[in-house]
Amino acid sequence: MRIRRAKYAGACYGVKRALRLVNEAISDSPEPVFTLGPLIHNPQVVESLRLAGAVAVDYIDQVDHGTIVIRSHGVGPRTIDDARQKGLKVLDATCPHVSQAQIAARDLHQAGYLVVVVGEQGHPEVEGISAYSGDQVVVVLDASELPVFSPNTKIGIVAQTTQTAEAFNAIVDAVKALGIDPLVHDTVCNASRQRQEAALELAAEVDVMLVIGGRNSSNTTRLAELCARVCERTFHVEKPAELDPAWFNGASSIGLSAGASTPESQLVEFEQELERYFSREQCL
């Protein structure tokens, strides 16, 4: 059995940076450390941080003192102001690419544009970007969700950083089809593009494709959806214990990819488990 890893897979720069900042805070701060929501969408990592001393909370009001970490998905400016007014030390672990999307949305709004965010309604990153976009922000994932715009409406478009280029371009084209020439800021992260392209390329060449990462991770889920288009036996998995031997019946090759919130250690864990499994099979 041949086990192949996608050229680009696993934790991106923004996730690695967030983890480094939190671990440094745990080591250096004499006061408690909290993350505002899960630091990244990876249950195992969030649990390991809890055990190390960084507890995830849902609201600023749940914290009276110590350090509050703004997670990689970012938040709106009011949330940071509220934390500082409470006297909390704010550690901003927002992914730099997300920060760029927030700034783009803010600049569009301040220039008088109605901001369209291509992304998932309710996703924390989208909520943060929307907070910079003014009261009339429009969040859509599909062209059918676009409202009716007046022909003279000034439209600016940004994207949730983990969206596909395909989804982003479809919204841009749909707005243009309405006779509106939007001001476009393509804020899809290059790391997301690389992972999507590499996963698709590998999925087309293997019998079974495993996409590793949290089920609450939108970028990992999107990777699995893309791979399923070209590899029927595509499985989104979080832990090696979820592997089912039936998935590999008659297969000669397995591809591995992982979302941007999946650390290297989890990828290696899957590789080692697969190698052990197939070594045992050969001995039977």
Side-chain angles (χ1 to χ4, degrees):
M1 178 69 69
R2 187 180 182 196
I3 301 168
R4 300 171 58 191
R5 186 195 289 205
K7 182 178 180 181
Y8 297 101
C12 63
Y13 165 76
V15 166
K16 292 177 181 177
R17 173 180 174 272
L19 289 170
R20 174 178 57 79
L21 290 173
V22 172
N23 284 314
E24 287 174 355
I26 294 170
S27 299
D28 299 342
S29 176
E31 295 189 314
V33 176
F34 304 89
T35 66
L36 188 56
L39 182 73
I40 60 175
H41 281 159
N42 186 295
Q44 296 99 303
V45 170
V46 172
E47 175 61 11
S48 69
L49 289 174
R50 184 188 70 80
L51 295 173
V55 178
V57 297
D58 295 322
Y59 307 103
I60 294 291
D61 291 344
Q62 294 174 264
V63 182
D64 294 320
H65 67 288
T67 297
I68 188 77
V69 181
I70 304 304
R71 58 183 171 178
S72 58
H73 302 100
V75 296
R78 182 173 178 178
T79 300
I80 295 177
D81 290 342
D82 289 345
R84 287 178 174 151
Q85 286 176 9
K86 287 197 68 173
L88 301 175
K89 179 179 178 180
V90 176
L91 177 60
D92 192 354
T94 303
C95 171
H97 295 291
V98 174
S99 296
Q100 289 175 2
Q102 293 173 340
I103 292 168
R106 180 201 65 193
D107 291 349
L108 285 169
H109 170 60
Q110 291 179 348
Y113 287 83
L114 172 63
V115 180
V116 173
V117 181
V118 181
E120 301 170 47
Q121 189 78 45
H123 188 281
E125 180 189 329
V126 173
E127 290 181 344
I129 295 171
S130 297
Y132 285 84
S133 305
D135 295 336
Q136 303 301 314
V137 60
V138 175
V139 178
V140 294
L141 253 185
D142 186 86
S144 63
E145 300 169 357
L146 285 169
V148 177
F149 298 118
S150 168
N152 61 351
T153 304
K154 293 172 61 179
I155 301 291
I157 305 177
V158 298
Q160 179 183 1
T161 59
T162 56
Q163 280 300 314
T164 64
E166 177 185 12
F168 181 71
N169 292 333
I171 298 298
V172 173
D173 291 342
V175 172
K176 290 180 177 179
L178 298 174
I180 298 172
D181 186 19
L183 182 53
V184 177
H185 290 279
D186 184 351
T187 54
V188 176
C189 172
N190 188 52
S192 293
R193 282 198 180 95
Q194 288 177 330
R195 280 153 183 74
Q196 290 163 8
E197 291 170 359
L200 268 173
E201 180 180 346
L202 180 57
E205 298 172 354
V206 296
D207 300 313
V208 179
M209 189 71 186
L210 301 179
V211 181
I212 302 163
R215 288 189 177 82
N216 61 340
S217 165
S218 63
N219 75 82
T220 308
T221 299
R222 194 162 296 112
L223 275 180
E225 291 170 348
L226 287 171
C227 291
R229 295 181 187 179
V230 296
C231 180
E232 183 177 352
R233 283 193 277 180
T234 293
F235 303 97
H236 181 172
V237 288
E238 284 189 2
K239 302 175 182 178
E242 298 170 4
L243 294 173
D244 184 343
W247 295 348
F248 311 115
N249 288 342
S252 60
S253 58
I254 300 171
L256 297 181
S257 183
S261 53
T262 305
E264 173 68 14
S265 60
Q266 291 181 10
L267 260 168
V268 171
E269 188 180 10
F270 269 89
E271 288 174 330
Q272 292 175 342
E273 178 61 25
L274 288 168
E275 288 168 359
R276 282 193 295 266
Y277 172 76
F278 289 111
S279 293
R280 290 194 300 268
E281 284 290 293
Q282 290 172 0
C283 294
L284 295 177

